[in-house]
Amino acid sequence: MTEINYAVFYNCKNILGQIALPSNITTIKDYAFYGCRQLQSIVLAKETKQISSSAFFNTPNFKIYKEDNNKYFNIYKGILYSNNMGTLYHCPNGYNAMCQIHKETKKITNNAFNGCSKIENIVLNNFFKILSYKLL
């Protein structure tokens, strides 16, 4: 198994605490962890390189981490970016700080801020090229 498929853990109430993905997981598909309200965090494995923009919808207390040797993603101030910081992929739903987008970011993916109702300010840099049509 190399993928966590569409809606596999949809509204799962039994996932508590942290999940550390096995090293062979490369892809997390749409709605994979949707509604896992007790999920506190996930650790992306070394080979995880693709995450759907809706993989973690409705996970309010969720944080995302990565193994140090994952070369596909980066975490900056709790937010998931591409390794070179050029693309912002996911802001956790429970994020409640002012959000300053990394200075290298040029693209924000669809739904990157979905469910982030506690953010009061988002500070953009001057170099944006692509803002997806639906950020929230």
Side-chain angles (χ1 to χ4, degrees):
M1 180 173 91
T2 60
E3 297 181 349
I4 298 177
N5 285 320
Y6 178 86
V8 168
F9 298 107
Y10 190 93
N11 281 330
C12 183
K13 293 173 181 37
N14 298 323
I15 297 179
L16 305 172
Q18 177 175 299
I19 293 176
L21 294 179
S23 60
N24 61 324
I25 298 296
T26 61
T27 305
I28 303 173
K29 301 257 180 145
D30 286 323
Y31 306 106
F33 293 95
Y34 179 95
C36 295
R37 300 183 68 74
Q38 302 303 315
L39 178 62
Q40 294 175 352
S41 63
I42 193 164
V43 179
L44 303 178
K46 172 185 174 185
E47 296 302 322
T48 305
K49 58 185 168 186
Q50 189 174 25
I51 300 173
S52 164
S53 65
S54 61
F56 303 110
F57 274 8
N58 201 21
T59 52
N61 301 307
F62 173 76
K63 292 185 170 127
I64 194 161
Y65 303 99
K66 71 175 192 79
E67 289 185 1
D68 290 338
N69 56 359
N70 180 300
K71 61 185 177 189
Y72 303 101
F73 294 104
N74 222 323
I75 310 276
Y76 174 72
K77 296 187 177 185
I79 298 173
L80 182 66
Y81 290 86
S82 59
N83 192 47
N84 67 0
M85 307 301 267
T87 302
L88 187 155
Y89 285 105
H90 179 74
C91 181
N93 293 169
Y95 201 85
N96 62 3
M98 179 187 80
C99 181
Q100 175 141 10
I101 308 300
H102 191 274
K103 66 182 180 178
E104 298 297 322
T105 303
K106 294 173 178 48
K107 178 182 178 182
I108 299 176
T109 62
N110 288 346
N111 301 304
F113 291 96
N114 183 281
C116 294
S117 60
K118 296 178 184 173
I119 294 177
E120 293 183 15
N121 296 305
I122 297 176
V123 180
L124 303 174
N125 65 45
N126 294 327
F127 303 105
F128 271 99
K129 292 185 178 178
I130 300 171
L131 280 174
S132 297
Y133 76 98
K134 185 177 182 186
L135 296 178
L136 301 174

